[in-house]
Amino acid sequence: MTRHFLNLSDAGGDAVRAMLDDALRRKQQRLQMPKGAADADAPLAGHTLAMIFEKNSTRTRVSFDMAMRQLGGGTIVMESGSTQLGRGETIADTARVLSRFVDAIMIRTDDHQKIVDLARYATVPVINGLTDDSHPCQIMADLLTVMERRGGLAGTRWAWLGDGNNVLHSIIEAASLMDFSVSVGCPAGYDPSIEVVEAARKLGAAVDIIRDPAKAVAGADVVVTDTWISMGQSHAEEKLRTLEPYQVTPAIMAAAAADALFLHCLPAHRGEEVVDAVIDGPQSAVWDEAENRLHAQKSVLLWALGKLG
Ligand code: CP
Ligand code: NVA
């Protein structure tokens, strides 16, 4: 069976735990090494990852590229607009062809169905680098960051403030696999997908939707937010106004646990979903979180290519 990573549940809780443990171990082992040097075991020597981008990216692009270098392999970056995909070649045919050239494919796209189709026709692993529905690689980095800072995930209380988007969907999915709770503070009309919430609840996760932002973060160990306007959405003044009460401010952080962490996948829209005093403040873990994209994705690549778990 080809191991695709379209969502966290493709791997399951045990494999996610194994990936996070491996990521922590590899991160520790290369503290003094130059960033482009390969890990001592170079487990993906000779392997190539193709990366298809149908949307902008800074972190995903650089972290996957460096991840492959550190694992001893290489990458090919494909901006979809300059490939035949951009001229209408089908996803299925692209999957068939790329599978003959490379060992794995990472794609960032809009409609989630495109990555499902890519995985269906590819004979090599396909990894989700963000779709309109989910962002599992980001959440692997978030889980790693909370593990490092808190020593574990089980029983932690996470609060999300803002738009019920792709990043939140992957957090909710993670809650059901890793045994933590999510309290979602968002206005009516901006809820996460009810299917995602119900699937997590069915697996035993506590996921609550709370309209009052201060109540949503009360006692939380982790406070998370993201842009109010995701890529592909049109800039809507009304949406910005509706979400204003959900801005993460020092007053909001004060309603969470005293030692709560602040996370944001980045890029941040300072002055919209978060203010400088929080993202640059002592509770913010966003730079570790960004770095952890690299470490977490190395382990995702190793899992997908059958070298782990
Ligand atoms: N967080 C994240 O996915 O960042 P990029 O859009 O820069 O890849
Ligand atoms: N929700 C954001 C995440 C960016 C990394 C988006 O989809 O644009």
Side-chain angles (χ1 to χ4, degrees):
M1 275 285 283
T2 308
R3 286 182 171 180
H4 301 298
F5 191 73
L6 307 193
N7 279 310
L8 297 163
S9 48
D10 291 335
D14 289 345
V16 167
R17 260 181 283 275
M19 287 186 244
L20 294 170
D21 289 343
D22 179 69
L24 281 175
R25 189 179 54 78
R26 283 188 180 274
K27 183 176 178 180
Q28 283 309 314
Q29 280 175 351
R30 56 172 301 123
L31 287 178
Q32 307 305 326
M33 288 166 65
K35 295 188 176 70
D39 289 355
D41 57 346
L44 294 188
H47 291 69
T48 302
L49 172 73
M51 302 198 273
I52 305 172
F53 286 97
E54 299 204 295
K55 286 180 174 175
N56 295 44
S57 167
T58 296
R59 279 144 289 268
T60 303
R61 174 185 310 225
V62 177
S63 58
F64 266 109
D65 196 303
M66 294 307 290
M68 283 302 289
R69 290 181 204 213
Q70 292 188 5
L71 294 170
T75 57
I76 296 171
V77 177
M78 303 166 66
E79 304 286 353
S80 71
S82 62
T83 67
Q84 298 293 6
L85 258 180
R87 290 184 60 247
E89 186 168 18
T90 67
I91 284 274
D93 289 353
T94 305
R96 291 178 177 115
V97 170
L98 287 181
S99 297
R100 301 290 180 104
F101 293 134
V102 299
D103 303 287
I105 305 168
M106 191 285 297
I107 183 168
R108 165 166 287 195
T109 189
D110 39 30
D111 185 357
H112 193 82
Q113 188 58 42
K114 288 191 192 173
I115 197 171
V116 171
D117 291 344
L118 192 68
R120 178 164 172 214
Y121 293 102
T123 55
V124 299
V126 172
I127 297 173
N128 181 354
L130 180 146
T131 68
D132 289 348
D133 288 6
S134 60
H135 197 0
C137 288
Q138 178 64 52
I139 287 7
M140 290 297 291
D142 293 12
L143 298 175
L144 190 59
T145 308
V146 173
M147 273 176 73
E148 284 179 327
R149 299 282 189 120
R150 314 293 304 217
L153 294 163
T156 53
R157 292 167 300 173
W158 294 43
W160 172 275
L161 283 192
D163 190 26
N165 67 12
N166 45 3
V167 173
L168 175 59
H169 290 161
S170 292
I171 290 176
I172 293 172
E173 190 188 27
S176 68
L177 298 175
M178 308 306 285
D179 195 23
F180 59 86
S181 67
V182 188
S183 155
V184 178
C186 66
Y190 297 101
D191 288 0
S193 141
I194 188 69
E195 287 83 20
V196 171
V197 171
E198 280 178 355
R201 283 182 180 153
K202 219 182 253 172
L203 292 172
V207 183
D208 294 309
I209 300 192
I210 299 171
R211 301 289 174 218
D212 179 327
K215 284 191 184 139
V217 301
D221 303 302
V222 182
V223 176
V224 201
T225 191
D226 183 18
T227 181
W228 291 340
I229 312 283
S230 284
M231 291 183 277
Q233 298 178 343
S234 52
H235 202 83
E237 290 306 323
E238 194 198 326
K239 184 175 186 187
L240 296 182
R241 262 195 312 278
T242 309
L243 284 161
E244 245 167 52
Y246 299 84
Q247 183 182 63
V248 184
T249 60
I252 282 287
M253 290 304 292
D259 59 352
L261 293 178
F262 172 72
L263 297 183
H264 188 312
C265 64
L266 306 175
H269 299 74
R270 292 164 177 259
E272 291 187 5
E273 73 273 8
V274 63
V275 298
D276 290 348
V278 172
I279 196 168
D280 298 328
Q283 289 169 274
S284 173
V286 300
W287 313 120
D288 285 353
E289 181 187 6
E291 178 187 336
N292 281 336
R293 291 292 302 278
L294 163 66
H295 304 294
Q297 287 160 196
K298 285 169 71 178
S299 300
V300 171
L301 286 160
L302 289 174
W303 173 80
L305 286 160
K307 311 274 182 196
L308 188 68

